[in-house]
Each structure stands twice: as structure tokens, then as C-alpha cells.
Amino acid sequence: MAKLLSSSSAPTLTLMEECSLNSSSYGEASSFSKRLKVARVLLLPRSRMQVWLVRLSTSILVWTCLLQLLALGSELWSPYSFFLNGSWPPCLSDRNEIESHNQPALFAASSAPLLKDIALTLPHRSYVNNGYLLVSCNGGLNQMRAAICDMVAVARLLNLTLVVPELDKTSFWADPSDFGDIFDTKHFIASLRDELRIIRGIPEKFRARVRKDSIVTLPPVSWSNETYYLNQILPLIRKQKIVRFSKTDTRVANGGLSDDFQKLRCRVNYKALRFTPHIEELGSRLIQILREKGPFLVLHLRYEMDMLAFSGCTHGCSEEEEEELTKMRYAYPWWKEKVIDSKQKRLDGFCPLTPEETLLVLKALGYGGDTQIYVAAGEIYGSERRMAGLHATFPNIVRKEKLLSSSELRHFQNHSSQMAALDYLVAVESDVFVPTYDGNMAKVVEGHRRYLGFRKTVLLDRKRLVQLLDEYQNGSLQWEEFSLAVKEAHKHRMGTPSNRRVILDRPKEEDYFYANPQECLS
């Protein structure tokens, strides 16, 4: 720059000297003026060239710095530094992001912006794609929900790209709903993108193999831990590049897993698996209608035909109903247990309470006739005949079909999982939740309510209740004695904090992780 300045000033000094030496003569001045104009014309192109050289040098320097920053972008930038609400800008189209499955993860930021609970924050990690995982979920809504959480955690553990799960369409409910009909797919993918890659469909290079059914398909071993997936499944996927899990329920252990694995299961369940906006809006409307009338209790009355046929529980049924339920059990080959001693199973506490038994238990617990009760269930077996006593004692019993118009529910007809999603939302937000059987919905809702602050959930001790009910009904106990005994049996069964029971050699008898995810409740 100094050289440029000195070279540009030299002609100016020369002209000034000539001006002072020749200013005494008009003719000389006139000659000098002409010479000055010529000098300016000669100087102008040179000055402009120097300015452009400076600009060019500056531009090169700026671009060099910018490229250096871009090279460090994955370490310095977070996907949430541009938008505080956690949503993605329009320029990053979801389809483009999802389908670029051959590229490494764009970001590996902390999960903290997505989560308010620091207990669910997971450590920074680098991602290397070891293959693709297809999963075909089986069972009802909440059975599939828990399985999806498990499969996300497995995919992250093994550094696999997960294809959006397929939902069961062949079970008893025969619900044709796809994942995107129940869950918000875009939110599911975006909220987990700092942990693993999730894509909407099978990559093109594998589609022919999938169509020909020439990929490895297997059900993982039930109640497996991280070692099984690392030692048995990962080498298989590295070799095959794509594998399908044909069954996903109970394929991961309840306990004995790393905290990171457990917390990711919770993060998926309570943050990533959000229902579609339509389901969320209608669920909120149900809750608002109930709240306007005061506190409400959700009764998950699992006295439905499929449950009775599956469990073999026929207490209170007629001979014709018993025969109908038995035929149904034999009609489904994947229900393995066929010959069942209904009376013994009830005494062991493995049957759902009947509507008549439920009525007595609610009264014994102190709930009066003015209690607002929302029944979260499908069609009750025996319908009005079996529900007559409950309706007479608790006239404020309602169902979604009574609170919403037929037009509002038209979209949900013949879609049992979407109907169950509405019940799930109401059950989680209720003042009290009372399940009459510890099926998948009861367990998952119980765990969700624990996560939200140990909301009151009455966990019925059915084995003890059956004994008390029989004693009351045969006259061995007076009502006051019966009521006191029921309250005493449940004073520590209200969803309060407790340690999850682990039986390493008998996982089916353990306390279910999703009913009490204690690793996520700190």
C-alpha cells in the first residue's frame, strides 16, 4: 500500500513544483494547465487499477476466512442456533434432509434445546452408518409405541439408519393406519436427528431386494441387552447392510442397560412420539370438555372381547359367551395358550376386573356418585348388561363417543389405534387414572404419568382384590371392613416413586421399564 501511495503522489509533487516555477508568466501558466490535464488523464487508469487490486485482495482474504469457518461448521454450529423454537428453516426441506442418507449426520448437537429435563440430555457423539434397519411392529398402539422406542435406541447403539417403522395391520384390531396416520413423522425425524438418521422410505439401492423378500428377516431374542445387539446383530447388519426385525415387542431388557440407552428410550417416548396435529387437537378438546365440569377420573376398563379371549378370563360370563371367547382364542394361531383354567387365573390376579367388581372397588376407595368418570376402552363385552351397575352408581360416566359429535369422530372410525390415541391423551392428563388390568396401555400411561410428576395412578392389586371381593360377596366381610381393607391394600399403590423390581432370570415377571422408567425420573 505504501508503494502504491508513493507512486501515485510523485507526479503530483512534480506538477506543483512546475506550477511555482512558471506561475509568473501567463503563457507559461496556460502551458502548465494543458500539461496538468494530460497528467490527470494518464493517472486515472492507473489509480483505478490500484483500487481494484486492493478490492480483489480483500475479497480473497474474506473468502479464505469464510471457507475456514465452514470447514469447522459441524463443531461450531448447532441446528438450533438459527431458530429458537426447534423448527427447521424452509430452505432445509425435510425431504432433502431425509433422502440424503448417504451423507453423515449434519449436526451432533446437545439434545438440551429439545428437552427441559436435563436427565434426558445425551452426550455428543460422532455418527458412522453401519447399515439400515427395517422394523415391523406388532400388537396394539401402546405395544407398538414401546417397541418403537426400543428400536430407536437399538439403531442408535449400532449406528444404523432407521426406516420409519411399519405398524401392525394384521392383529385383532386390523387397523390400516400407517405411522404417519398416528404419529407426527416430521417431528419424529427432526427431534431425533442429533442422535440417529431416520428416513421415510427404503433407499433405492435396496428396494429390489426388499420386493423380492431377499433380505434377512428375524425377530430379535426377547428381553435382550446391549451385548446381544452388539455381538449378534451388528456383525449381521454390517455384512447384509439391511435387516428387518419382524417382531419388536419386548425385544429389549427392562434393566441392566446403560443410562444413555434408557434415557434415549424415554426421550423417544415422551418427546419424539407426538401424535398427529389432528389427534392432538381432538384430544385437547376432550380434555377441555371434561375440565369444564371439574376433576375427572379415567377408568381403563379392559373388559373387551379380545382381552377376555386372549386371557381366558370368563368370570361373570354366560355359557354362550364362554364358548364364543374360546372359539376366538383358537382362531388366532399366535395366541399360544389355548387351554386355560379361568377360575385359577382369576385367583392368581391375572384377569381384568369385571365391570361389577370395578364398581365395588371404586366405591370402597371412596369415590362417590358425583365422580366424573371417563371410560377409556373399546366396546365392553356384554355391553349395557355388564355396564348397568356402573351407570346406576356413577351417572357421570362418559366416553369419547358421548362427548364428541359423529362428524368429529368420522375420521377415526375403523381405526382402533387412532381411537386409542385419543384415550391415551385423556388418560395421561386425568386427575386420577385407574386401570383394571395391567396391559400395555395401562403400563405405558402409568410410566408417562410418573414422568410428568408422579400423577395419581391407582395400581390395583387384583390378587388381593379378588380375595376381598369374594369374601364380601359371600358375607364374610361387612362393607366397612371391605372398604377399609381395600384402602389399606392400595395406600402405597398410587403411582408414587418406587424402585423398579428386577428379576434377571425371569424378565417377564419384572416390573416393566415403561411403567416405571426410574432412570429418567431424576
Side-chain angles (χ1 to χ4, degrees):
M1 291 296 291
K3 290 181 179 180
L4 290 173
L5 290 172
S6 62
S7 63
S8 64
S9 61
T12 305
L13 292 173
T14 303
L15 292 172
M16 289 179 66
E17 291 172 356
E18 290 186 13
C19 182
S20 65
L21 290 172
N22 298 294
S23 60
S24 57
S25 168
Y26 172 80
E28 291 175 344
S30 177
S31 175
F32 170 75
S33 177
K34 292 177 182 179
R35 289 159 59 193
L36 180 60
K37 289 179 181 179
V38 172
R40 284 175 177 171
V41 171
L42 293 174
L43 260 174
L44 186 58
R46 186 178 180 186
S47 300
R48 284 181 177 175
M49 184 180 296
Q50 292 163 353
V51 170
W52 280 108
L53 284 172
V54 171
R55 288 178 178 175
L56 180 60
S57 301
T58 305
S59 297
I60 292 172
L61 178 63
V62 169
W63 278 105
T64 301
C65 294
L66 184 58
L67 289 172
Q68 292 292 331
L69 287 173
L70 287 172
L72 297 173
S74 62
E75 296 180 11
L76 297 178
W77 293 356
S78 163
Y80 298 97
S81 61
F82 296 100
F83 27 92
L84 298 178
N85 62 358
S87 61
W88 305 104
C91 60
L92 292 179
S93 113
D94 187 61
R95 179 177 297 276
N96 291 338
E97 288 298 324
I98 293 164
E99 293 182 351
S100 61
H101 49 262
N102 291 322
Q103 299 298 323
L106 294 178
F107 304 101
S110 166
S111 60
L114 280 176
L115 307 175
K116 294 180 180 179
D117 187 351
I118 196 170
L120 297 188
T121 303
L122 295 166
H124 174 91
R125 75 184 191 110
S126 58
Y127 180 82
V128 178
N129 186 21
N130 287 321
Y132 294 83
L133 178 62
L134 309 179
V135 296
S136 297
C137 300
N138 59 300
L141 173 65
N142 292 285
Q143 186 173 334
M144 293 190 290
R145 182 188 183 102
I148 292 167
C149 300
D150 289 347
M151 293 303 104
V152 169
V154 168
R156 179 189 184 274
L157 173 71
L158 305 182
N159 279 338
L160 304 178
T161 295
L162 177 69
V163 179
V164 169
E166 301 171 356
L167 301 188
D168 191 348
K169 297 179 175 63
T170 62
S171 65
F172 167 80
W173 301 275
D175 188 333
S177 300
D178 291 319
F179 184 94
D181 297 321
I182 299 174
F183 300 107
D184 187 333
T185 307
K186 187 175 182 180
H187 174 77
F188 177 68
I189 293 170
S191 63
L192 293 169
R193 62 186 298 159
D194 60 331
E195 295 300 335
L196 77 163
R197 185 182 300 113
I198 304 174
I199 58 177
R200 290 180 184 266
I202 300 166
E204 179 66 32
K205 60 184 177 181
F206 296 116
R207 289 177 189 171
R209 288 175 58 188
V210 172
R211 281 196 301 269
K212 296 176 183 177
D213 200 23
S214 61
I215 65 170
V216 174
T217 299
L218 76 160
V221 175
S222 297
W223 311 111
S224 297
N225 57 23
E226 294 156 300
T227 302
Y228 163 77
Y229 284 100
L230 289 167
N231 293 346
Q232 302 294 324
I233 299 300
L234 181 57
L236 177 64
I237 295 183
R238 279 179 170 163
K239 180 179 179 180
Q240 298 292 329
K241 297 304 178 185
I242 184 169
V243 166
R244 171 185 278 125
F245 288 164
S246 57
K247 290 185 178 180
T248 53
D249 66 314
T250 64
R251 305 295 148 168
V252 175
N254 290 310
L257 301 165
S258 68
D259 283 350
D260 286 351
F261 193 100
Q262 299 289 59
K263 289 175 183 177
L264 182 55
R265 294 167 90 181
C266 292
R267 177 178 172 182
V268 181
N269 196 17
Y270 308 128
K271 300 295 180 179
L273 281 179
R274 187 168 68 188
F275 294 122
T276 62
H278 184 56
I279 293 175
E280 292 277 347
E281 288 168 9
L282 204 55
S284 296
R285 174 161 162 69
L286 278 170
I287 295 165
Q288 181 183 0
I289 293 171
L290 291 163
R291 284 265 177 255
E292 287 174 354
K293 298 179 181 179
F296 65 95
L297 177 152
V298 166
L299 176 64
H300 183 45
L301 190 59
R302 194 67 170 96
Y303 202 76
E304 298 150 316
M305 187 175 184
D306 67 296
M307 172 51 63
L308 299 180
F310 173 76
S311 64
C313 298
T314 58
H315 182 69
C317 295
S318 65
E319 290 184 5
E320 292 78 10
E321 288 173 332
E322 288 184 29
E323 184 178 352
E324 181 181 35
L325 294 172
T326 302
K327 286 181 178 179
M328 182 179 179
R329 183 164 66 253
Y330 277 89
Y332 287 87
W334 52 87
W335 291 354
K336 296 180 181 179
E337 192 176 12
K338 302 301 182 183
V339 180
I340 299 174
D341 185 341
S342 178
K343 291 182 179 179
Q344 187 59 49
K345 198 163 188 178
R346 176 177 174 270
L347 292 174
D348 292 336
F350 295 137
C351 287
L353 295 184
T354 68
E356 296 86 355
E357 291 171 336
T358 302
L359 160 63
L360 294 174
V361 170
L362 289 177
K363 285 182 62 179
L365 288 170
Y367 293 103
D370 58 345
T371 304
Q372 184 181 197
I373 298 177
Y374 176 94
V375 176
E379 184 177 354
I380 302 303
Y381 192 62
S383 192
E384 295 302 320
R385 177 176 67 85
R386 303 304 297 270
M387 292 292 291
L390 268 170
H391 280 292
T393 305
F394 299 100
N396 294 324
I397 285 184
V398 294
R399 300 169 62 95
K400 52 185 170 293
E401 292 84 357
K402 184 177 180 180
L403 298 177
L404 299 175
S405 66
S406 57
S407 61
E408 288 175 305
L409 285 174
R410 184 178 299 117
H411 175 79
F412 297 86
Q413 296 300 326
N414 302 318
H415 294 83
S416 59
S417 290
Q418 296 184 47
M419 295 285 259
L422 292 175
D423 286 341
Y424 183 93
L425 290 170
V426 178
V428 168
E429 292 298 324
S430 63
D431 296 280
V432 183
F433 177 58
V434 183
T436 60
Y437 184 75
D438 55 352
N440 288 293
M441 177 170 173
K443 292 174 180 176
V444 177
V445 169
E446 175 193 345
H448 204 152
R449 290 173 65 83
R450 286 177 181 271
Y451 175 77
L452 293 173
F454 300 99
R455 295 175 177 176
K456 188 174 182 178
T457 303
V458 183
L459 307 172
L460 298 179
D461 184 347
R462 291 187 306 280
K463 186 174 183 179
R464 175 63 175 147
L465 283 175
V466 165
Q467 178 187 356
L468 293 172
L469 285 163
D470 288 347
E471 290 178 0
Y472 170 68
Q473 290 177 326
N474 66 25
S476 300
L477 284 178
Q478 298 300 311
W479 174 256
E480 290 76 13
E481 297 173 308
F482 171 73
S483 178
L484 181 63
V486 170
K487 290 175 182 175
E488 183 67 24
H490 293 87
K491 66 180 181 181
H492 299 303
R493 299 176 62 89
M494 297 291 177
T496 50
S498 63
N499 291 326
R500 192 174 64 246
R501 181 171 51 104
V502 176
I503 308 173
L504 295 178
D505 57 337
R506 298 198 303 275
K508 290 184 179 180
E509 299 175 28
E510 293 179 336
D511 290 340
Y512 191 43
F513 171 79
Y514 291 103
N516 185 11
Q518 61 187 39
E519 294 89 342
C520 310
L521 303 180
S522 58

